[in-house]
Amino acid sequence: MDIISVKTEPYQGQVPGTSGLRKKVSVFKQNHYLENFIQSVFDSLDSFEGKTLVIGGDGRYYNDYAVQVLLKMAIANQFGRIIVGQNGILSTPATSYVIVKYGAMGGFILSASHNPGGPDGDFGIKFDNENGAPAPQELTDKFAKRTREIDHFWWADMPDIDLTQVGELVFGSTVVQVIDPVSDYAAYMQKIFDFKQIKRLFDKGFRMTFDAMNAVTGPYAKYIFEDLLGAPRGSVIRQEPLMDFGGLHPEPNLTYATELVSRMYSEQAPDFGTASDGDGDRYMILGRSFFVNPSDSLAVLAGYLDTIPFYRGKMTGVARSMPTSFAVDDVAKDKNLTVYQTPTGWKFFGSLLTAGKITLCGEESFGAGSYHLQEKDGIWAVLCWLSILAKTGKSVEQLVRELWQKQGRVFTLLHNYDIADKGVAEAVMAGLKEKLPLLPGTVIQKEKITQAFPFVYTDPVTGEVADNQGLCIYFESDARIVFRLSGTNSVGATLKIYINQRVREFDKFDSPATEVLDKWVHIALELSELKRLTGVEKPSMIT
Ligand code: VG1
Ligand code: CO
């Protein structure tokens, strides 16, 4: 095996977004594109010679190839040990756990998460630090800076490594350890949750459907829910990870998890419906003919997390990303927990979790997690729900209705507008931002604006400031509209409009969110002049 230095030229635009670097597969396939980014990450880290690195991915198209590139480069850069999931597979939460468990200095996750896969789809790469947390902004800025200067990378000239068998292989001064992707994570879940209690629920005939969406959680879910907890065979659907996710969009929401949704609204619906995303860090909750919006789910988790022994007496604070509704705030207040509002993206929770300021955190996109590990964790969230259902004996619907009875129902709606030209989308945001100072006190479509401001976040632990994190407009009638640009798409731009309103009239609780919040959609469109400025008539996704 020869270790060689290979000359290269920088690429433009290798800038990590909300969660890692995400681009079309065709972009990643350009000569040295992947190698440049990987070496830029290595060059941005403090000494790592002799240390341990974790590598895994969600199994999407190009995972096989990229894993081999990463291995050869990590060997050439002289890591002491590389822990890699069998066949190159590890979910995002499993990677995070494995990093901490084996004392690694960090790890790579090859995934574009909820973005579609396949030769015409997206690929991605993200880096977690030694806490198993997504690289913070300061570090991702370093990666991007280095990609603009890079002129060579290190390469081990050797054949591909066989990743089909669990075990250890030695290459020069590096040990490559192939691990089973599921077992460490599953063992950890058994430490957190009372599996016997959940098993009793299934023994009594409780039924669930977990839609793995042909993505990475299939093997995890099958082992945990069917093999260990005794959910009937077939409870985990679409459990085989496919390179292109069967042509589907692996994002758990009402638009993309259609099969699960129709099952949950049918006559034979099971008691509990869940789904996960491409890399296993998100979830989705449905009861029988009942959808739980992610912000309400976070509120339920906040209310009951301390019924799980692992968390008893450990509750400190709760954090939610800014676009996540305020449903959790009242629950937290009741329980004397501090609430933090962070920008979108898991990397902003890391410092709060590490400092012990929060126990639980979550996002409106069905990401939730706790201090058990520093990534969002889909299967963990499902296990939380199962524990709460087992402990209380209540149904999903009952738990959510109790929340509404207490504090009113906070309706939520998200409209995504795909805009081909990123510059045009940025211009819409800039125009609206300019208007914000003039809005408070004005009335639009009979609704009075109370506050309007761009969201700027100062990390209470590190003091780091993140600006440009969305535009917020609050109304007198307990409503809020948030505008922000997505940071995960690989081409063009997606402008997201998030709408929330708290409704206290019981007789409105069962109206669809699309109906209750329709008025606010019109207000948002009028304020932003989105249609006129972009020519885009309809959202690509409503959830
Ligand atoms: C989206 C979600 C955000 C989530 C991010 C990464 O980001 O809104 O809540 O953290 O995806 O999740 P954006 O910038 O497109 O709104 V994942 O599961 O795709 O790593
Ligand atoms: Co994900």
Side-chain angles (χ1 to χ4, degrees):
M1 175 187 75
D2 285 335
I3 291 177
I4 52 175
S5 160
V6 181
K7 279 202 169 22
T8 186
E9 303 263 323
Y11 278 98
Q12 294 299 308
Q14 290 198 314
V15 183
T18 310
S19 179
L21 182 70
R22 287 188 199 182
K23 301 283 174 194
K24 287 263 165 238
V25 166
S26 55
V27 171
F28 267 104
K29 278 189 172 169
Q30 296 172 94
N31 195 28
H32 297 169
Y33 189 92
L34 180 63
E35 290 85 341
N36 278 14
F37 188 75
I38 294 168
Q39 189 65 51
S40 297
V41 173
F42 288 156
D43 292 349
S44 309
L45 302 174
D46 296 334
S47 84
F48 50 76
E49 276 176 44
K51 294 194 181 159
T52 302
L53 179 74
V54 176
I55 299 177
D58 68 6
R60 69 177 58 221
Y61 180 81
Y62 215 53
N63 195 118
D64 282 357
Y65 175 79
V67 153
Q68 295 293 339
V69 171
L70 247 173
L71 283 165
K72 289 172 193 176
M73 290 185 63
I75 291 170
N77 279 275
Q78 316 225 302
F79 277 89
R81 178 175 288 264
I82 306 168
I83 297 176
V84 55
Q86 190 176 17
N87 297 315
I89 300 293
L90 272 176
S91 74
T92 288
T95 309
S96 174
Y97 178 59
V98 166
I99 290 171
V100 174
K101 180 177 170 187
Y102 293 85
M105 55 80 62
F108 283 95
I109 303 162
L110 299 165
S111 170
S113 187
H114 62 275
N115 298 27
D120 301 322
D122 288 350
F123 189 71
I125 176 164
K126 45 186 182 174
F127 183 78
D128 277 2
N129 65 19
E130 76 280 6
N131 298 322
Q137 189 73 42
E138 214 182 348
L139 192 54
T140 56
D141 288 349
K142 263 193 186 175
F143 301 164
K145 181 166 178 282
R146 184 69 192 146
T147 64
R148 292 190 286 270
E149 303 156 350
I150 192 156
D151 59 6
H152 74 282
F153 61 86
W154 292 100
W155 181 256
D157 199 14
M158 58 187 278
D160 282 357
I161 297 173
D162 178 11
L163 300 178
T164 58
Q165 305 301 321
V166 168
E168 288 193 356
L169 303 157
V170 181
F171 302 94
S173 54
T174 309
V175 177
V176 173
Q177 182 181 355
V178 182
I179 59 164
D180 172 57
V182 176
S183 52
D184 289 315
Y185 176 82
Y188 190 38
M189 291 300 118
Q190 290 175 79
K191 277 194 199 151
I192 299 176
F193 298 100
D194 181 349
F195 271 45
K196 281 200 194 108
Q197 186 182 51
I198 302 175
K199 195 168 186 318
R200 280 198 293 275
L201 190 67
F202 286 111
D203 290 346
K204 280 188 274 175
F206 182 89
R207 288 185 307 133
M208 78 183 271
T209 296
F210 181 104
D211 184 353
M213 300 184 91
N214 298 324
V216 79
T217 45
Y220 294 84
K222 188 192 164 291
Y223 181 62
I224 292 174
F225 300 118
E226 293 186 4
D227 298 354
L228 294 178
L229 290 170
R233 295 268 160 241
S235 295
V236 179
I237 60 169
R238 296 198 284 170
Q239 56 171 262
E240 196 193 331
L242 300 176
M243 277 202 285
D244 65 348
F245 310 117
L248 300 166
H249 207 121
E251 181 166 19
N253 62 38
L254 292 175
T255 306
Y256 298 128
T258 42
E259 188 181 329
L260 175 71
V261 173
S262 62
R263 223 184 237 223
M264 294 309 295
Y265 282 82
S266 73
E267 291 274 307
Q268 305 78 34
D271 305 280
F272 184 51
T274 69
S276 192
D277 72 330
D279 60 332
D281 56 2
R282 297 211 222 161
Y283 70 114
M284 178 177 183
I285 301 295
L286 293 140
R288 241 186 242 139
S289 302
F290 192 85
F291 170 67
V292 185
N293 87 47
S295 302
D296 280 351
S297 174
L298 183 66
V300 171
L301 293 182
Y304 287 95
L305 202 65
D306 58 4
T307 63
I308 299 167
F310 188 82
Y311 297 101
R312 202 161 291 148
K314 301 271 179 56
M315 301 296 288
T316 54
V318 179
R320 60 168 171 81
S321 66
M322 181 272 284
T324 306
S325 95
F326 18 84
V328 68
D329 297 16
D330 298 72
V331 178
K333 211 164 144 204
D334 259 10
K335 299 183 93 76
N336 241 332
L337 305 172
T338 317
V339 180
Y340 298 86
Q341 189 176 233
T342 58
T344 293
W346 214 256
K347 58 181 173 243
F348 295 102
F349 294 128
S351 58
L352 296 168
L353 285 166
T354 308
K357 288 194 177 298
I358 55 170
T359 311
L360 171 73
C361 43
E363 295 194 285
E364 51 60 48
S365 51
F366 262 140
S370 83
Y371 69 83
H372 76 288
L373 53 84
Q374 295 237 359
E375 282 277 7
K376 50 191 190 283
D377 190 347
I379 287 188
W380 167 87
V382 171
L383 286 166
C384 283
W385 266 92
L386 280 172
S387 302
I388 296 167
L389 294 169
K391 176 89 189 173
T392 61
K394 292 176 182 168
S395 70
V396 171
E397 178 168 351
Q398 252 177 310
L399 287 165
V400 176
R401 283 196 187 276
E402 283 175 9
L403 178 82
W404 296 348
Q405 298 282 340
K406 218 167 162 190
Q407 59 181 58
R409 174 173 179 186
V410 185
F411 281 89
T412 67
L413 196 60
L414 167 62
H415 279 212
N416 281 2
Y417 283 87
D418 290 339
I419 301 159
D421 185 340
K422 198 170 177 193
V424 171
E426 282 166 351
V428 175
M429 293 294 285
L432 183 58
K433 189 174 177 185
E434 222 163 81
K435 268 198 245 169
L436 294 184
L438 306 171
L439 293 180
T442 62
V443 174
I444 177 163
Q445 298 184 26
K446 299 200 184 119
E447 296 291 346
K448 188 166 176 194
I449 296 174
T450 51
Q451 296 179 66
F453 54 89
F455 183 57
V456 179
Y457 177 68
T458 306
D459 188 310
V461 180
T462 65
E464 260 178 76
V465 176
D467 57 9
N468 246 336
Q469 298 297 326
L471 306 174
C472 310
I473 304 174
Y474 284 78
F475 296 82
E476 202 166 56
S477 40
D478 229 348
R480 178 183 74 165
I481 305 176
V482 170
F483 298 83
R484 65 175 279 280
L485 291 180
S486 160
T488 58
N489 41 355
S490 56
V491 282
T494 299
L495 198 151
K496 296 189 165 188
I497 303 179
Y498 308 82
I499 299 170
N500 304 143
Q501 185 175 30
R502 188 193 303 273
V503 172
R504 294 193 189 270
E505 297 89 343
F506 291 173
D507 59 333
K508 280 202 191 153
F509 284 179
D510 287 310
S511 309
T514 41
E515 202 177 291
V516 176
L517 301 178
D518 185 56
K519 170 181 199 174
W520 301 98
V521 175
H522 294 285
I523 293 178
L525 291 173
E526 185 181 329
L527 281 168
S528 60
E529 298 179 75
L530 183 116
K531 290 190 181 177
R532 184 179 70 77
L533 295 171
T534 64
V536 179
E537 284 298 320
K538 283 200 168 23
S540 58
M541 194 196 73
I542 299 177
T543 193

